[in-house]
Amino acid sequence: MATKARKTTLSSSNPANAQLMQLLRPEQPKLFAALALAVAACLLFILQSYLLSVLFARWLTDSQLSAIGTTDAVALLTTVLPWLALCLLGRPLLQYGREQLSLRASQQVRLNLRATLLDKLAQAGPGKSRYGSDGSLSSAVLEQVDALDGFISRYYVQRYLVLITPLLLVAATFVYSPLAAVILLITAPLVPVFMILLGNAAAAASQRQLQKLSRMSGRFLDLVRGMPTLQQLQATERASATVANAAGHYRDSSMQVLKLAFLSAAVLEFFSALAIALLALYLGLGLLGILPWAKGEIPVAYQGALFILLLAPEFYAPLRQLGTDYHAKAQAEAAISELTPVLHSQSWQHPGTQQLTLQSAPQLSIEQLQITGDDNRQRLAPLSFTLAAGTRIAVQGPSGTGKSSLLHALLGFVPYQGSIMVNQHPLLQLERNHWQQQLGYMAQHSSIAAASIADNLRLAAPTASDQQLIDILQQVELWPLVRQLPLGLETQLGERGLGLSGGQLQRLALAQLLLQDTKLWLLDEPTAHLDGATAYRLHQLIGKLSQGKSLIIVSHQLHGLDWLDQVVKLPAPSASLNESSQHVSA
């Protein structure tokens, strides 16, 4: 019980480290195998040092006595060289095996972590915005996940080697000189003490650096998204100066982190060299027989002294390496702290398991639907209306009345009170993924990937032929533009559709909806960021292409929506919670 309580206390005192250990648990067999290979390599190093010390000591002794013969030299080499060859070849192979196992474990952990993060964000749906902007989330999934590599591939095994390797070397040293072993043990703590002092500063610096990177990524993405607006306002130079200024600050802070890393490495090397020099001084004076407490005596013979001096650098090497890798630990803990809110998020799980395939435009019946947020704030006041099969309606209301929340509930992302019936089937009984495949959703910002126009369209219909894509583009009145491009359908678009205007991107998103051939469309202010003329043309196009479908469009303006069958107006935020929405004919 006491041990369990102590472990709980340690985990709670360092939640980032506890989270890292939890992520590593499935890959621990590989990491322990890597540790076993590293320990085997250490044992081969001890054997190698012993063989070299015996070989050189024998040659030195025999040369002084002029007693060595050719037969004896050949016999000595025949005995020692095969074992030396085993050590010299075996150690690199064992080290290679250790590195490969550690790298594979790191790759698998990061792969699993990315999958978990993407799954959490997918479950959150539109609610992922509470974890940060798209830019900061992209940075988390890419850069911050990769920041764990050094901790997994190097630090995890090294933190065990820093204890096992010195103990093995001290034991081997103790056989020849207990005092030399004591010197090693006394000087060893100097390295980790300074590692901790400098490592804590490096950890804090890494944490601040990751936060700066996340904020800078989010801000840069916001500026890229708002580039058309910035161009209209002639503020692109100011935005460029802002990005350059932020990049300059980030560069300067990166140099500060590197300074800490180089400083810590220099300090560790200094104390390691000082300790080895102290040990060499003791052994050298002993061989000369001028030690103050043992004049005329040789406490450690040449072979033993050489063996100990060969071991000494390796004794401090794991400590120095751990000092270098400690920065990887600090970076990993900083990264996992940034990822923890997403990893620990518990999104509402849609409970449905039934599959409903829509053969025609569905009917939706909404009765006393209301939505409450996580902060217990009402996001949608009680709402009732019916969407007949093939009917097209608009939802209007002031900001904050729950227009987007209504669509999120229909998509299956948020819990609600009241009822939503789809062809007399409760939405809560339908399996969410299958239900989402039955409807088309179009947001304010089209989700266009950095790929060709054809590849973007085939995200909606992977088996569509080029002719089918051309036919769809003609329907959305985009083919005349695409036909004039040098590469046509294979024209590459930049991030978030860079290369097309806002109206053209929304037409491309509309083409994706047509390729999906769904019977229900949910449109969340698709013309919110377009000028009046472009918005009107897009509204008219949506009206022509959505005939025969059930459609709900959220829009602040009705310009170009004269084809609607009905308008549902949501009550203002100050309205009574029991007030029902009013149905107004278009």
Side-chain angles (χ1 to χ4, degrees), residues 3-190:
T3 303
K4 184 177 180 181
R6 183 173 58 187
K7 289 182 177 179
T8 303
T9 302
L10 289 174
S11 298
S12 61
S13 63
N14 193 348
N17 189 64
Q19 181 69 48
L20 285 170
M21 292 301 103
Q22 184 177 353
L23 293 174
L24 287 178
R25 191 170 292 118
E27 299 301 315
Q28 280 184 338
K30 291 180 184 176
L31 294 172
F32 285 141
L35 175 62
L37 294 181
V39 172
C42 177
L43 294 175
L44 284 183
F45 175 75
I46 294 175
L47 176 60
Q48 173 185 311
S49 300
Y50 173 76
L51 293 174
L52 288 175
S53 66
V54 169
L55 184 63
F56 284 106
R58 177 71 178 275
W59 283 349
L60 178 63
T61 302
D62 290 346
S63 64
Q64 288 179 343
L65 298 176
S66 301
I68 189 169
T70 304
T71 303
D72 293 336
V74 172
L76 181 62
L77 289 175
T78 303
T79 304
V80 172
L81 284 182
W83 291 101
L84 270 178
L86 173 65
C87 296
L88 294 174
L89 294 176
R91 288 185 64 209
L93 290 176
L94 291 173
Q95 184 64 23
Y96 175 78
R98 169 204 168 178
E99 291 176 354
Q100 289 301 307
L101 286 171
S102 298
L103 286 174
R104 289 177 185 175
S106 173
Q107 290 173 351
Q108 191 60 46
V109 168
R110 288 181 286 134
L111 181 65
N112 294 339
L113 179 57
R114 278 202 179 94
T116 301
L117 289 171
L118 292 174
D119 184 60
K120 291 282 187 180
L121 294 175
Q123 290 179 9
K128 70 180 185 297
S129 59
R130 66 178 179 268
Y131 304 120
S133 65
D134 288 348
S136 62
L137 290 176
S138 299
S139 174
V141 174
L142 296 175
E143 283 88 353
Q144 294 186 22
V145 171
D146 282 339
L148 305 183
D149 178 53
F151 175 85
I152 303 169
S153 61
R154 301 192 306 272
Y155 180 83
Y156 186 83
V157 172
Q158 194 63 34
R159 69 176 191 163
Y160 292 103
L161 286 179
V162 79
L163 294 175
I164 297 174
T165 299
L167 288 177
L168 290 175
L169 298 180
V170 164
T173 301
F174 188 84
V175 173
Y176 287 94
S177 173
L179 182 56
V182 170
I183 292 175
L184 291 175
L185 290 174
I186 290 176
T187 56
L190 292 175

Side-chain angles (χ1 to χ4, degrees), residues 187-344:
T187 56
L190 292 175
V191 177
V193 165
F194 282 93
M195 177 187 72
I196 292 172
L197 293 177
L198 293 171
N200 288 335
S206 296
Q207 178 77 27
R208 292 192 299 270
Q209 194 69 354
L210 284 174
Q211 292 174 351
K212 288 181 180 179
L213 177 62
S214 178
R215 291 195 297 268
M216 189 172 69
S217 299
R219 188 173 186 181
F220 180 73
L221 183 58
D222 290 340
L223 290 173
V224 172
R225 286 178 173 175
M227 188 57 65
T229 304
L230 293 173
Q231 289 174 341
Q232 291 180 0
L233 297 175
Q234 297 182 351
T236 53
E237 292 185 2
R238 182 180 300 176
S240 177
T242 301
V243 172
N245 187 43
H249 285 297
Y250 183 76
R251 180 188 63 243
D252 295 339
S253 58
S254 297
M255 294 305 299
Q256 294 299 323
V257 176
L258 289 176
K259 285 180 183 178
L260 281 175
F262 287 127
L263 175 62
S264 61
V267 170
L268 296 179
E269 291 292 339
F270 171 75
F271 280 102
S272 298
L274 189 63
I276 294 173
L278 179 62
L279 184 63
L281 181 63
Y282 160 69
L283 294 173
L285 293 177
L287 288 173
L288 294 174
I290 56 176
L291 287 171
W293 61 88
K295 290 185 177 181
E297 300 179 6
I298 301 178
V300 183
Y302 175 76
Q303 187 264 325
L306 180 58
F307 176 62
I308 293 172
L309 285 177
L310 289 173
L311 294 182
E314 190 69 17
F315 177 84
Y316 297 101
L319 294 171
R320 295 198 306 270
Q321 186 61 44
L322 185 67
T324 302
D325 295 339
Y326 190 82
H327 300 287
K329 173 180 180 290
Q331 188 178 20
E333 289 184 346
I336 206 65
S337 296
E338 295 291 316
L339 298 174
T340 295
V342 180
L343 290 174
H344 289 178

Side-chain angles (χ1 to χ4, degrees), residues 454-524:
D455 289 339
N456 272 284
L457 291 174
R458 288 195 174 99
L459 291 175
T463 60
S465 65
D466 285 352
Q467 187 57 48
Q468 288 175 304
L469 299 185
I470 292 173
D471 293 341
I472 291 294
L473 290 175
Q474 286 176 337
Q475 292 184 52
V476 299
E477 302 174 1
L478 199 57
W479 175 241
L481 169 69
V482 176
R483 183 176 54 190
Q484 294 176 1
L485 298 174
L487 298 179
L489 289 172
E490 299 305 319
T491 300
Q492 294 292 318
L493 301 179
E495 195 69 32
R496 298 192 62 84
L498 184 64
L500 296 179
S501 68
Q504 292 164 352
L505 288 175
Q506 292 300 77
R507 289 172 186 267
L508 190 59
L510 187 58
Q512 291 177 325
L513 288 187
L514 292 174
L515 284 168
Q516 290 175 332
D517 192 25
T518 54
K519 309 303 180 183
L520 172 63
W521 283 8
L522 304 177
L523 311 182
D524 189 1

